[in-house]
Amino acid sequence: ELDDFTLNLLGGSVIQGDIDLGIDDAKDPALTQSYLNSLTINSMGMEENFITGDTTNIIEGDITTGGTNELRDVTINADQTLSVLGELVFEAINNDDATASLTVTGTADVMLAELNTADDDVDALNVENNGTGTLTVGIDGMNIDATDSFSFTGNDTTLVVNNTVDLSMDTLDAVTMVVLEEDAVLTLDLDQADAIGAANFVLADGANDAVLSLANLNDQLFAVADYADGISVDILSIEPIPVVTLNPGTNLTDIGSLILQAGTTLNLTAAQFQQLDGTGTISGAGTVNITDLTQADVDAGFDLSGIDNDITLTVALGEDITLAADDDLAHASVIIPGAETLSLATYLQANGLDV
């Protein structure tokens, strides 16, 4: 029985099919099973593949145990480029809330097409790139558990995201680029996205559309336009703190919806509200204060009906305002801070209006 398994790849190596580190069922039941402690892959050598002429070491299939062994501790020492085209499947037997680890060292780039933590007994994965090359790893929402936690630390790491993935509570310190596959939906904290940089979110080759859902907007400077064409921001949630005042430079154009939690007061300008996609939608609870309403804002069509009734809503005039018949103040209270005037067009606008 193997306690530790080391695989040496000497340049231009191609392993076709899977690497199966599983245990044969035909064992003496009287023996105590110890399971695999670690997997080490040494990617080295300058030999060229005699067919392709490439020096890259390639594993074409999955690295797995088939659910019969432990695969929790993986080290890759790469002084030659390594590409694993299948899944690296982390599995636990002895622990039902195991933390797996992947450590990379060396000078060469490493590409792992997919990290799989779907095993219910693997609850966390720590990935540390201690090498000087770029580590590229794929995460597919179909092959992780929603409650799994991830940590990416060390040096340059690129994430390739497929399907629906939420990393908003995870550590992404080493992530310098995010590649989004077609129709991927990635949820991040806005501070995480800012640290990575909007310019470093890109679509995968052949992809046309992907979605970011960003959490905890506060006073950061934000605009969807900073992201690549084809990357939309469907939902933007407000940080759940007592008071959030949006940065004056924040642009909400093309944002599908804002989400607000009870106990939070959101202050934004009328111009920012008008930037929301379609009829501006703000859902949840809490308080929304729309400030500095101008006639130009109103002339573009002013409709507050997309703000949930559970949200306390105020609108403060920034100058004299004349509403059109199809403008909708919904359940808003109107604040007239000085000598400004509000001219209403219909009885419905006046009925029950709190000024």
Side-chain angles (χ1 to χ4, degrees), residues 109-148:
D109 294 342
V110 173
M111 190 284 291
L112 306 174
E114 187 176 329
L115 304 179
N116 184 322
T117 60
D119 184 346
D120 289 341
D121 293 334
V122 176
D123 292 345
L125 173 61
N126 295 330
V127 178
E128 186 169 6
N129 180 16
N130 291 326
T132 55
T134 297
L135 171 63
T136 301
V137 296
I139 297 182
D140 189 327
M142 300 297 291
N143 289 319
I144 62 174
D145 293 331
T147 56
D148 288 346

Side-chain angles (χ1 to χ4, degrees), residues 145 253 326 335:
D145 293 331
T253 300
D326 55 355
I335 297 173

Side-chain angles (χ1 to χ4, degrees), residues 273-291:
F273 175 79
Q274 291 291 72
Q275 291 161 355
L276 288 168
D277 195 29
T279 299
T281 299
I282 304 178
S283 60
T287 299
V288 170
N289 298 321
I290 298 174
T291 64

Side-chain angles (χ1 to χ4, degrees), residues 293 295 298 302 317 320-329 332 334 336 341-355:
L293 181 66
Q295 190 63 46
V298 171
F302 193 59
L317 305 190
D320 293 346
I321 298 295
T322 299
L323 296 182
D326 55 355
D327 290 332
D328 190 344
L329 294 175
V334 175
I336 301 177
T341 62
L342 174 64
S343 300
L344 305 176
T346 69
Y347 167 78
L348 288 176
Q349 290 170 345
N351 186 34
L353 180 64
D354 182 14
V355 177

